[in-house]
Amino acid sequence: MFKKLIVYSTCLSIIGCQTIENPLTNLSSNAISSSGCAEKPMVSLSGKDVETVALNESTITKSGQVSASKNIGYTFTATTGQKLSYSTDADVCLWVFSPDNEILKGGELSKNGKYVIQVAAPQGAKTFDLKMSLGLLETASSTPTASPTNNPENTPENTSENNNSQSSLENDNLQPENDISQEQALELVQKWYAAKPRIFAPPFDRDLLNELATGKLYQRVGGEDGSIDWLQKYNRYYTYNKSEITNVMGFSSSGSRPYIKVRIIEELYLQGEKGIDKTNSGEYQIDYIYFFAKENGTWKIYSNEKISDAD
């Protein structure tokens, strides 16, 4: 079992989101270790199962659920001389692939490019939190941080901010309670989704944005070179067929930033002069964490981070 597994290595070239081929046909050619994990994955990853993450010397955390037949991958770009560290308490199997599709055994690496971490379960279904860094892992507990999506909340063409951001959560036991309830937090997020058709399409309502958002979210959407500026500059806008919160997965009113974790189903389309931009359109089911801050006595959304694509 992998308990507090920490691996250090350095980083390599470009794999992207293509299928990672692992041509394994039977267990006899793929030995099982004492942990219950094979030397190589038993399944291949397809593009939809691989998420791009931006790693640096800060620690980020990704969460997901895997089984022996459904694996998840994270791909990142690194250069020669960097060191990859990762850690998980979950009973899962992990393999790190180099840009030339070789499984890394540790040690200094000599290639630049994209790497892939593949996560599976030795048996059954397992939920995991995986910490990753191109430096030393932070010892304090952390929450999942976001990777940008095509969702306009993360600015379709300018999404670098959230890639390297660290979660605003702190140790709840050491922080006072805030006067926001789960019901209030959920209502605020619901209002946000109801307002998006007016914020990300004419009239591009910045006053409405200001009623609901502050801090990082306001700047990312309504600030200079934010989502609204980008949409207006390129004569584009979003239409929404569906925006629904299907599940509340967590809530805390403690700490410097109270938060709520929700599962969202959203169907949105980026409209342009040539019609729908299909690469930035469609139906998405995503887990998000929303952080809140009080501004002039009113609770607003301070930032939002994607946790994972939901199954």
Side-chain angles (χ1 to χ4, degrees):
M1 295 175 64
F2 289 85
K3 294 296 184 182
K4 282 295 180 186
L5 170 67
I6 300 179
V7 175
Y8 297 94
S9 58
T10 14
C11 307
L12 298 108
S13 136
I14 292 183
I15 289 181
C17 285
Q18 71 269 32
T19 298
I20 302 169
E21 296 295 343
N22 298 307
L24 307 173
T25 56
N26 54 63
L27 286 176
S28 62
S29 63
N30 195 18
I32 304 296
S33 69
S34 59
S35 66
C37 297
E39 293 179 355
K40 298 180 180 179
M42 302 301 296
V43 300
S44 298
L45 289 173
S46 60
K48 65 181 179 63
D49 298 318
V50 180
E51 179 182 347
T52 300
V53 294
L55 292 187
N56 56 23
E57 294 183 357
S58 299
T59 300
I60 69 170
T61 304
K62 288 292 178 180
S63 301
Q65 185 177 69
V66 291
S67 65
S69 59
K70 177 175 174 52
N71 293 189
I72 291 176
Y74 300 101
T75 180
F76 59 92
T77 301
T79 59
T80 301
Q82 290 182 302
K83 294 183 180 292
L84 168 67
S85 306
Y86 60 85
S87 172
T88 180
D89 285 331
D91 180 16
V92 294
C93 305
L94 299 103
W95 303 269
V96 180
F97 285 87
S98 69
D100 52 6
N101 208 24
E102 295 294 326
I103 295 179
L104 304 181
K105 301 297 183 181
E108 287 292 321
L109 304 177
S110 58
K111 297 180 180 179
N112 300 327
K114 287 191 176 180
Y115 291 76
V116 173
I117 300 175
Q118 185 166 345
V119 187
Q123 59 183 353
K126 304 291 184 181
T127 299
F128 67 90
D129 292 327
L130 176 63
K131 295 181 180 180
M132 296 175 282
S133 174
L134 293 182
L136 295 177
L137 292 176
E138 296 174 3
T139 56
S141 61
S142 58
T143 17
T145 60
S147 291
T149 69
N150 292 325
N151 190 309
E153 295 173 33
N154 290 332
T155 313
E157 305 300 322
N158 185 20
T159 55
S160 60
E161 176 184 342
N162 267 3
N163 282 346
N164 300 326
S165 67
Q166 291 298 302
S167 169
S168 301
L169 293 181
E170 299 181 11
N171 190 328
D172 290 349
N173 294 328
L174 302 178
Q175 298 293 328
E177 294 288 321
N178 292 287
D179 62 345
I180 184 172
S181 66
Q182 178 174 319
E183 291 73 18
Q184 289 173 311
L186 180 59
E187 182 181 8
L188 187 51
V189 176
Q190 289 171 331
K191 287 181 178 179
W192 168 250
Y193 279 90
K196 287 174 68 175
R198 292 182 55 84
I199 294 173
F200 296 103
F204 298 106
D205 196 335
R206 295 175 190 267
D207 290 336
L208 182 57
L209 172 66
N210 185 56
E211 290 179 14
L212 300 171
T214 186
K216 291 182 179 180
L217 180 58
Y218 182 89
Q219 289 301 318
R220 197 165 66 240
V221 175
E224 185 176 357
D225 295 325
S227 298
I228 292 177
D229 282 356
W230 183 88
L231 291 167
Q232 291 180 317
K233 178 179 179 180
Y234 293 99
N235 195 24
R236 297 187 180 188
Y237 62 94
Y238 277 88
T239 57
Y240 298 83
N241 287 358
K242 179 193 301 182
S243 295
E244 180 181 355
I245 300 173
T246 61
N247 189 23
V248 176
M249 299 176 295
F251 170 76
S252 174
S253 60
S254 301
S256 60
R257 292 277 180 262
Y259 68 87
I260 191 170
K261 297 179 183 180
V262 293
R263 177 160 295 175
I264 305 293
I265 295 180
E266 189 168 43
E267 184 181 352
L268 69 165
Y269 297 92
L270 179 58
Q271 309 283 346
E273 294 177 350
K274 297 181 180 180
I276 294 175
D277 180 349
K278 294 183 179 179
T279 62
N280 291 282
S281 303
E283 182 171 319
Y284 303 90
Q285 183 168 266
I286 304 175
D287 294 343
Y288 268 107
I289 183 168
Y290 281 84
F291 297 95
F292 305 98
K294 212 168 194 180
E295 184 178 88
N296 298 324
T298 300
W299 284 105
K300 297 183 180 181
I301 301 173
Y302 177 82
S303 66
N304 67 315
E305 299 178 359
K306 174 186 170 186
I307 301 174
S308 65
D309 292 318
D311 296 326

